[in-house]
Amino acid sequence: MSSDPAAAAAAVQALDELTRQLRVECPWDREQDERSIVPHTLEEAYELADAANSGDDGKLLDELGDVLFQVHFLSLLLEERGGGSLAEVADHTRQKLIHRHPHIFGAVEVADAGEVLRNWDQIKQEEPGRERGIFGEVPENLPGPLYARKVQRRAATAGLDVDGVPYEVLETALQTLKAVDSDRDAAFTALGDLLFAAVDVARKLKVDPELSLRSSATRYRARIEAAEALAAAEGLTWATLTEEQKLQVYARSMLQNGA
């Protein structure tokens, strides 16, 4: 179901009015500032990412609403101290998108999506107030896989990239890790290089490394939980099983669930 522009504008206006009411009437909302709200914003962003990865449109709609509320609330905090408003946030974003899409709103021609990204990064570097340098404004507090991908993308934009998917780099990093043996410091470095290489492969394959890793962890968790449930159905207590018995139950569970 799609909405017409008037309906969308009315819904956004209603949410804005509700946000302002909560800010005045709710004791909890009145106490909040950017520092106390941003942790919730990050949490909602992760929940949105999970919803997008799940393929559940109902969940996606719900989480999009939560993130939209975060935008409204933070914009209201900005407005209260005269630093901006929701309208200015929206207009600033609109102008920024126009500026960074010269192949749509200007005379620039691009061959593919990769060139769009390279142009995007170059345009950002030239905007007033931006931190200069290849890695300017790359947040160091990003989750590891996303930080690595951001660094790799910036390096690629600067001309430091290779054609194709670097599987051989991943294989070399794995061999290096295998050769480390019991040297913990060397293992720390080698494992980091292996993970970095895996992120680079993901970047080349256009796969989000954070969501991919979370998806794998979720599948693994589900398999363990299924094995635990099978043990309980057979009258067994998971905690009292030996390691070999747990592996046997796990294998039976995998067969039953077609994994």
Side-chain angles (χ1 to χ4, degrees):
M1 181 179 66
S2 61
S3 61
D4 61 74
V12 170
Q13 177 63 31
L15 178 59
D16 186 62
E17 291 172 359
L18 175 63
T19 304
R20 294 173 185 277
Q21 180 181 359
L22 292 175
R23 180 65 170 165
V24 172
E25 299 180 12
C26 175
W28 187 89
D29 286 283
R30 279 201 305 268
E31 292 179 355
Q32 304 313 306
D33 58 20
E34 289 91 335
R35 291 182 179 180
S36 64
I37 281 295
V38 163
H40 297 283
T41 308
L42 293 174
E43 182 179 333
E44 297 296 356
Y46 276 113
E47 291 178 2
L48 174 59
D50 182 65
N53 191 50
S54 72
D56 185 334
D57 286 348
K59 186 176 181 182
L60 180 59
L61 186 149
D62 180 57
E63 299 301 342
L64 280 169
D66 290 343
V67 171
L68 183 59
F69 174 72
Q70 293 292 314
V71 173
H72 275 258
F73 198 94
L74 286 165
S75 297
L76 179 56
L77 295 182
L78 193 65
E79 179 184 307
E80 288 175 354
R81 62 171 182 269
S85 66
L86 181 62
E88 289 173 271
V89 168
D91 189 61
H92 178 73
T93 298
R94 184 180 69 86
Q95 294 293 344
K96 185 166 60 177
L97 289 172
I98 291 172
H99 180 61
R100 295 183 187 175
H101 286 79
H103 54 288
I104 302 296
F105 304 104
V108 173
E109 295 185 1
V110 294
D112 51 34
E115 193 170 349
V116 170
L117 288 178
R118 288 190 291 273
N119 288 345
W120 177 285
D121 285 338
Q122 183 61 44
I123 291 169
K124 282 182 65 175
Q125 284 289 306
E126 297 169 354
E127 290 174 345
R130 290 284 177 180
E131 182 182 339
R132 301 304 176 187
I134 295 173
F135 303 110
E137 298 187 335
V138 174
E140 294 185 4
N141 60 349
L142 286 171
L146 300 186
Y147 176 68
R149 185 182 64 176
K150 191 86 169 179
V151 167
Q152 290 165 357
R153 179 182 146 185
R154 287 294 186 86
T157 300
L160 299 171
D161 203 6
V162 296
D163 294 329
V165 182
Y167 293 115
E168 68 284 353
V169 178
L170 187 62
E171 292 169 357
T172 299
L174 178 58
Q175 293 304 316
T176 300
L177 179 61
K178 287 180 177 179
V180 164
D181 197 19
S182 59
D183 187 330
R184 188 171 182 178
D185 289 338
F188 179 90
T189 299
L191 183 59
D193 290 343
L194 177 63
L195 294 172
F196 190 79
V199 170
D200 204 27
V201 168
R203 179 179 66 89
K204 287 288 191 174
L205 294 175
K206 294 182 173 57
V207 172
D208 186 299
E210 179 76 19
L211 294 181
S212 178
L213 178 59
R214 286 177 176 274
S215 179
S216 291
T218 298
R219 291 196 303 273
Y220 180 68
R221 174 180 173 175
R223 291 196 294 266
I224 297 296
E225 290 174 338
E228 184 182 24
L230 177 59
E234 295 178 350
L236 304 172
T237 302
W238 184 265
T240 63
L241 298 179
T242 65
E243 183 175 331
E244 182 178 353
Q245 289 172 325
K246 288 176 180 177
L247 289 174
Q248 291 173 349
V249 174
Y250 181 81
R252 293 201 303 275
S253 175
M254 293 280 284
L255 287 174
Q256 287 186 12
N257 290 285

